[in-house]
């Protein structure tokens, strides 16, 4: 088991939980961005649940690697969608953050797959 995988899984899960919480409580810092990229208010809780599921899958994946790989794939797709959503509306402020999380989640996927 890779120490790098564990550290990255814990840190990425923490970021996903914080982000999901912000969406659930409709944080005033997050909601304008969600609206700007075209996310309807009804979809915001769904995105939060997806983030929580990804975080849980990454953490459980520490012990059961196939679930960690599946969760990492889901998180990569989630952040790929986020990057596309920001680029689609030319939101140059939000794109780098989503891009960094896409790269981090891709690194997590690489580590998860490599240690199977």
């Amino acid at each position: 088991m890779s120490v790098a995988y564990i550290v990255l899984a814990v840190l990425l899960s923490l970021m996903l939980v914080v982000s999901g919480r912000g969406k659930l409580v409709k944080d005033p810092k997050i909601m304008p961005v969600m609206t700007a990229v075209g996310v309807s208010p009804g979809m915001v809780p769904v995105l939060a649940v997806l983030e929580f599921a990804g975080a849980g899958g990454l953490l459980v994946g520490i012990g059961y690697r196939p679930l960690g790989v599946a969760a990492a794939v889901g998180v990569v797709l989630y952040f790929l969608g986020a990057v596309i959503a920001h680029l689609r509306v030319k939101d140059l402020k939000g794109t780098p953050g989503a891009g960094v999380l896409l790269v981090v989640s891709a690194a997590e996927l690489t580590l998860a797959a490599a240690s199977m």
Side-chain angles (χ1 to χ4, degrees):
M1 178 167 309
S2 165
V3 173
Y5 172 81
I6 295 169
V7 169
L8 202 53
V10 170
L11 292 176
L12 185 55
S13 294
L14 184 62
M15 288 188 286
L16 287 166
V17 167
V18 169
S19 177
R21 181 210 169 269
K23 288 176 179 68
L24 278 184
V25 300
K26 298 193 185 321
D27 186 326
K29 294 177 185 174
I30 294 174
M31 294 312 294
V33 176
M34 297 270 93
T35 303
V37 297
V39 176
S40 68
M43 285 302 295
V44 174
V46 173
L47 294 176
V49 168
L50 290 173
E51 288 180 321
F52 293 144
L58 291 174
L59 292 175
V60 173
I62 292 170
Y64 183 64
R65 197 52 47 97
L67 182 59
V69 171
V73 167
V75 173
V76 166
L77 292 174
Y78 179 90
F79 286 116
L80 180 61
V83 168
I84 291 168
H86 286 283
L87 288 175
R88 186 176 48 93
V89 298
K90 297 177 177 64
D91 176 23
L92 300 180
K93 281 183 165 180
T95 304
V100 166
L101 290 171
L102 174 61
V103 170
V104 170
S105 59
E108 179 69 9
L109 174 59
T110 302
L111 290 170
S115 63
M116 279 192 70

